[in-house]
């Protein structure tokens, strides 16, 4: 949980991340501009973290606006619901996932569903159905064996 941000050009993010002056325990590094006004006083803690396959639940408590930085890889296909409402996942510190949070207690539910999975499933199902229909059509068109 951090209450400050640092903006940097994409090409300089890694240099800044590994610079000794950058403190990942108090600030988060972004390459995309954000609409964020830091609070005068920030204090936040993670109360609970639970991992399951393709799912992470995090419970937080904080005073002031800030970010939860989840030290898991940022990867397309992740979604997050904060207290039941879908929120954007931000690419933080070049490698990780972050979610902007307001003051208070929050429950974050991260879910992973691979991009392209639905499209692949639709294509595979359609091809399977077509193969079955084609097989049935060819079977019905075949001449029956004539018995003499």
């Amino acid at each position: 949980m951090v209450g400050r941000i640092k903006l940097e050009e994409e090409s300089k993010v890694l240099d800044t991340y590994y610079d000794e002056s950058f403190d990942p325990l108090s600030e988060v590094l972004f390459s995309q501009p954000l609409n964020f006004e830091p609070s005068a006083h920030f204090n936040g803690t993670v109360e609970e973290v639970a991992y399951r396959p393709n799912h992470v639940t995090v419970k937080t408590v904080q005073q002031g606006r800030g970010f939860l930085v989840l030290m898991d890889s940022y990867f397309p296909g992740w979604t997050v619901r904060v207290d039941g409402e879908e929120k954007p996942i931000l690419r933080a510190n070049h490698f990780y996932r972050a979610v902007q949070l307001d003051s208070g207690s929050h429950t974050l539910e991260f879910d992973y569903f691979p991009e392209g999975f639905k499209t692949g499933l639709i294509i595979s199902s359609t091809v399977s159905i077509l193969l079955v229909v084609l097989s049935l059509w060819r079977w019905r068109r075949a001449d029956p064996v004539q018995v003499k």
Side-chain angles (χ1 to χ4, degrees), residues 36-125:
F36 176 72
E37 275 299 318
S39 299
H41 301 286
F42 176 82
N43 183 19
T45 59
V46 174
E47 301 288 315
E48 182 181 327
V49 178
Y51 278 87
R52 293 190 324 238
N54 300 327
H55 184 85
V56 181
T57 302
V58 181
K59 294 186 179 184
T60 66
V61 175
Q62 67 188 60
Q63 296 172 345
R65 290 176 301 280
F67 295 85
L68 167 75
V69 180
L70 193 60
M71 303 299 276
D72 280 348
S73 296
Y74 175 88
F75 199 77
W78 281 101
T79 59
V80 67
R81 291 192 167 279
V82 178
D83 303 325
E85 183 181 334
E86 192 161 333
K87 297 284 186 176
I89 295 178
L90 306 167
R91 186 174 186 167
N93 301 344
H94 187 71
F95 306 104
Y96 308 121
R97 290 180 268 157
V99 179
Q100 187 172 343
L101 299 171
D102 290 325
S103 215
S105 298
H106 302 286
T107 300
L108 294 88
E109 299 280 341
F110 291 88
D111 288 297
Y112 180 70
F113 196 77
E115 286 187 349
F117 182 79
K118 286 181 184 177
T119 303
L121 188 61
I122 290 168
I123 291 170
S124 297
S125 298

